[in-house]
Amino acid sequence: MKITDRSDLWWKTAVVYCLDVETYMDWNDDGFGDFEGLAHRLDHLAELGVTCIWLMPFQPTPDRDDGYDITDFTGVDPRLGALGDVAEFTRTARDRGMRVIIDFVMNHTSDRHPWFAAARRSRTSPYRDYYVWRDEPPAKQAKTVFPGEEDSVWELDERSGQYYLHSFYRHQPDLNIANPAVRDEIAKTIGYWLELGISGFRVDAVPFLIEPPEGVDIGDPHEFLRDIRRFLQRRSSDAVLLGEVNLPYDQQLEYFGRTGAAPELTMQFDFLGMQALYLSLAREDARPFAASLAQRPQLEPEAQWANFVRNHDELTLDKLSEAERHEVFEAFAPEEWMRVYDRGIARRLPTMLDGDPRRIRMVYSLLFSLPGTPVLFYGEEIGMGENREGGGRMTVRTPMQWTDGPNGGFSRAAPRRLTAAPPADGYAPEHVNVEAQMHDPDSLLNHIRSFAVRYRSSPEIGWGRHEVLPSGQHAVLAHRITADVGRFVAVHNFAPTPTVVSLELGPVAPDAVLSDLFAVDTFALDERGRIDVHLDAYGYRWFRIVEPDDRRLT
């Protein structure tokens, strides 16, 4: 079926932008971002080329885990606004051509959630079975997700004399998905937000969400995920589930749904590709990333990979070998404060690459030209850095930098009242901000706008089948994406020296040319599609193979 027949799969060619309302724009001057401030910055996102906004948790919370400890799954934290503000923001975003998805964090609650408060009051409480309790922790325990911060996934509740399970922090007790009442609550929460205009969910820690308590048989836990997808599609046929599944590719396929089975997740992040990318950057050698890209499974049209360079958590390197991880640490996190949980990095890309604009642009060119859907973390479009004082994962969750004024234009509150402080070094707002880059045609902001425009006008990137092309050079990645609307070719140089790459693109029609997507240039191809491509140091080129009957503007 042609791409034009499947335009309802909007997420195949989306530009996703993740943000935290709390750190994006403060409109009432209390030091916290809010929905009204976010609504006033929608034009920035529209001009950037964003088509899908992913909101990190905004529900009521004690805020002990940056909002991922929720006390009411259908509410809004009063610091950020009210339910009406969410509805108005979502409607306004739609008017600008942007859909909204939200974080779905129902593998656990806050320990201050009314359900847990009721559960711990009595062993006979109807909410007791909403959570997982044991008289004694199992002899063999799962490893804690946060080594150094938690030494067990079981915590004694002295009031009731039993231990409860918490896969994450002790103040985040796990929900018991073996309980049908909990599953009903999950379905009701999904239905609630869909009715308010939300277009889907980024599902947090999916393997933990569907894992039943030890010793409890619920059959195939993936059937629960299939149930969620079926319910979602009944309520909103074009809504999506974007899953956080940091597993090897063969296991990730299970979370999309095996061939012949009902579908599960719509999209998944490519964690393996991201980790291989940083190994390639550390070595200035494209081969680790090329190998990962070649091994990445081709998906059915109704599923998609989500590509990313950075997200709100630590930059995890857990799937690299110990030697490879150490190599990346030495290159990009040489100081102890830059490392988290012995597996990740608490820095943003520009600081890791020493602010080299050539390398930074090359990486974002790669992000937008990879097969799949690109996902940006707020501030990436201007090259924001981190604030060491935030500590751990909070180093990269600093306020958005809009101007070179006080607090970077994020808030007019006194600095001491800010939810987080911007960096005070060379990445401070006076050096890195939206306003200055809007008026600089060579800024990172304008380069990323350009990438988004070219990506959106090249649907084959989101829809096509990819292959890594031989480049003959260790530092160069060449790849092709083919769909019924055209053939796209991208070439990236991971090295600090210019080079010429000889490519053979395969048989082409007579008079076919290679069109440069960032310049008014075309290059002749012989019948075997051979071409020599010139690349600058850390350079990149995007091309389209144009046949004589292709009527698209190039």
Coordinates of all heavy atoms in Angstrom, one line a residue, residues 21-22 26 28 30 32-36 57-63 71-72 75-83 85-86:
V21 N 7.0 20.7 31.7 CA 6.2 21.9 31.9 C 6.9 22.8 33.0 O 7.0 24.0 32.9 CB 4.7 21.7 32.2 CG1 4.0 23.0 32.5 CG2 4.1 20.9 31.1
E22 N 7.4 22.1 34.0 CA 7.9 22.8 35.2 C 9.1 23.6 34.9 O 9.4 24.6 35.6 CB 8.3 21.7 36.3 CG 8.7 22.3 37.6 CD 9.0 21.2 38.6 OE1 8.6 20.1 38.4 OE2 9.6 21.6 39.7
D26 N 7.7 30.0 32.8 CA 6.9 30.5 33.9 C 6.2 31.7 33.6 O 6.8 32.7 33.3 CB 7.9 30.7 35.1 CG 7.2 31.3 36.3 OD1 6.0 31.2 36.4 OD2 7.9 31.9 37.2
N28 N 3.4 33.0 35.6 CA 2.9 33.7 36.8 C 3.9 34.1 37.8 O 3.6 34.5 38.9 CB 1.8 32.9 37.4 CG 2.3 31.5 38.0 OD1 3.5 31.2 37.9 ND2 1.4 30.7 38.6
D30 N 6.2 32.5 39.7 CA 6.3 31.9 41.0 C 7.6 31.0 41.0 O 7.9 30.3 41.9 CB 5.1 31.0 41.3 CG 4.9 29.9 40.4 OD1 5.6 29.8 39.3 OD2 4.0 29.0 40.6
F32 N 8.1 28.4 38.9 CA 7.8 27.2 38.2 C 7.2 27.4 36.9 O 6.3 28.3 36.7 CB 6.9 26.3 39.1 CG 7.4 25.9 40.4 CD1 7.4 26.7 41.5 CD2 8.1 24.7 40.5 CE1 7.9 26.3 42.7 CE2 8.6 24.2 41.8 CZ 8.5 25.1 42.9
G33 N 7.6 26.6 35.9 CA 6.9 26.7 34.6 C 5.5 26.3 34.7 O 5.1 25.6 35.7
D34 N 4.7 26.6 33.8 CA 3.3 26.3 33.9 C 2.7 26.2 32.5 O 3.3 26.5 31.5 CB 2.5 27.4 34.7 CG 2.9 28.8 34.3 OD1 2.8 29.1 33.1 OD2 3.3 29.6 35.2
F35 N 1.4 25.7 32.4 CA 0.8 25.4 31.1 C 0.5 26.8 30.4 O 0.6 26.8 29.1 CB -0.5 24.6 31.3 CG -0.2 23.2 31.3 CD1 -0.2 22.5 32.5 CD2 -0.1 22.4 30.2 CE1 0.1 21.1 32.6 CE2 0.2 21.1 30.2 CZ 0.3 20.4 31.4
E36 N 0.2 27.8 31.1 CA 0.0 29.1 30.4 C 1.3 29.6 29.7 O 1.3 30.0 28.6 CB -0.5 30.1 31.4 CG -0.9 31.4 30.7 CD -1.6 32.4 31.6 OE1 -1.6 32.2 32.8 OE2 -2.0 33.5 31.1
P57 N 5.8 14.1 33.2 CA 4.6 14.1 34.2 C 4.3 15.5 34.7 O 5.2 16.3 35.1 CB 5.1 13.2 35.3 CG 6.0 12.2 34.6 CD 6.8 13.0 33.6
F58 N 3.0 15.8 34.7 CA 2.6 17.1 35.2 C 1.5 16.9 36.3 O 0.8 17.9 36.7 CB 2.0 18.0 34.1 CG 0.9 17.3 33.3 CD1 -0.4 17.2 33.7 CD2 1.3 16.6 32.1 CE1 -1.4 16.6 33.0 CE2 0.3 16.0 31.3 CZ -1.0 16.0 31.8
Q59 N 1.3 15.7 36.7 CA 0.2 15.4 37.7 C 0.7 15.8 39.1 O 1.9 16.0 39.3 CB -0.1 13.9 37.6 CG -0.8 13.5 36.3 CD 0.1 13.1 35.2 OE1 1.3 13.3 35.3 NE2 -0.5 12.6 34.1
P60 N -0.2 15.8 40.0 CA 0.1 16.1 41.4 C 1.2 15.2 41.9 O 1.2 14.0 41.7 CB -1.2 15.9 42.2 CG -2.2 16.2 41.2 CD -1.7 15.7 39.9
T61 N 2.2 15.7 42.7 CA 3.3 14.9 43.1 C 4.0 15.6 44.3 O 4.1 16.8 44.4 CB 4.3 14.8 41.9 OG1 5.5 14.2 42.3 CG2 4.7 16.2 41.4
P62 N 4.6 14.8 45.1 CA 5.5 15.3 46.2 C 6.9 15.8 45.6 O 7.7 16.4 46.2 CB 5.8 14.1 47.1 CG 4.7 13.1 46.8 CD 4.4 13.3 45.3
D63 N 7.1 15.4 44.3 CA 8.3 15.9 43.5 C 9.6 15.4 44.1 O 10.6 16.1 44.1 CB 8.3 17.4 43.4 CG 8.9 17.9 42.1 OD1 9.0 17.1 41.2 OD2 9.4 19.0 42.1
T71 N 0.6 11.3 42.7 CA -0.4 11.0 43.7 C -1.8 11.0 43.2 O -2.7 10.7 43.9 CB -0.3 12.1 44.9 OG1 -0.5 13.4 44.3 CG2 1.0 12.0 45.6
D72 N -2.0 11.4 41.9 CA -3.3 11.5 41.3 C -3.1 11.4 39.8 O -2.6 12.4 39.2 CB -4.0 12.7 41.7 CG -5.4 12.8 41.0 OD1 -5.8 11.9 40.3 OD2 -6.1 13.8 41.2
G75 N -5.1 14.1 37.6 CA -5.1 15.5 38.1 C -3.9 16.3 37.5 O -3.2 15.8 36.6
V76 N -3.8 17.5 37.9 CA -2.7 18.4 37.4 C -2.1 19.1 38.7 O -2.8 19.6 39.5 CB -3.3 19.5 36.5 CG1 -2.2 20.5 36.0 CG2 -4.0 18.9 35.3
D77 N -0.8 19.1 38.7 CA -0.1 19.7 39.9 C -0.5 21.2 39.9 O -0.3 21.9 38.9 CB 1.4 19.5 39.8 CG 2.1 19.8 41.0 OD1 2.1 21.0 41.5 OD2 2.7 18.9 41.7
P78 N -1.0 21.7 41.0 CA -1.4 23.1 41.1 C -0.3 24.1 40.8 O -0.6 25.2 40.4 CB -2.0 23.2 42.5 CG -1.4 22.1 43.3 CD -1.2 21.0 42.3
R79 N 0.9 23.7 40.9 CA 2.0 24.6 40.6 C 2.0 24.9 39.1 O 2.5 25.9 38.6 CB 3.4 24.0 41.0 CG 3.5 23.8 42.5 CD 4.8 23.0 42.8 NE 4.8 21.8 42.0 CZ 5.9 21.0 41.8 NH1 7.1 21.5 42.3 NH2 5.8 19.9 41.2
L80 N 1.5 23.9 38.3 CA 1.7 24.0 36.8 C 0.4 24.5 36.2 O 0.4 24.9 35.0 CB 2.0 22.6 36.3 CG 3.2 21.9 37.0 CD1 3.5 20.6 36.3 CD2 4.4 22.8 37.0
G81 N -0.7 24.5 36.9 CA -2.0 25.0 36.3 C -3.1 24.1 36.7 O -3.1 23.4 37.8
A82 N -4.2 24.1 36.0 CA -5.4 23.3 36.3 C -5.8 22.5 35.0 O -5.2 22.6 34.0 CB -6.5 24.3 36.6
L83 N -6.7 21.6 35.2 CA -7.1 20.7 34.1 C -7.6 21.5 32.9 O -7.3 21.2 31.8 CB -8.3 19.8 34.6 CG -8.6 18.6 33.8 CD1 -7.3 17.7 33.6 CD2 -9.7 17.8 34.4
D85 N -6.4 24.3 31.9 CA -5.2 24.8 31.2 C -4.6 23.7 30.3 O -4.1 24.0 29.2 CB -4.1 25.2 32.2 CG -4.6 26.4 33.1 OD1 -5.1 27.3 32.5 OD2 -4.4 26.3 34.3
V86 N -4.7 22.4 30.7 CA -4.2 21.3 29.9 C -5.1 21.2 28.7 O -4.6 21.1 27.5 CB -4.2 20.0 30.7 CG1 -3.7 18.9 29.8 CG2 -3.3 20.1 31.9

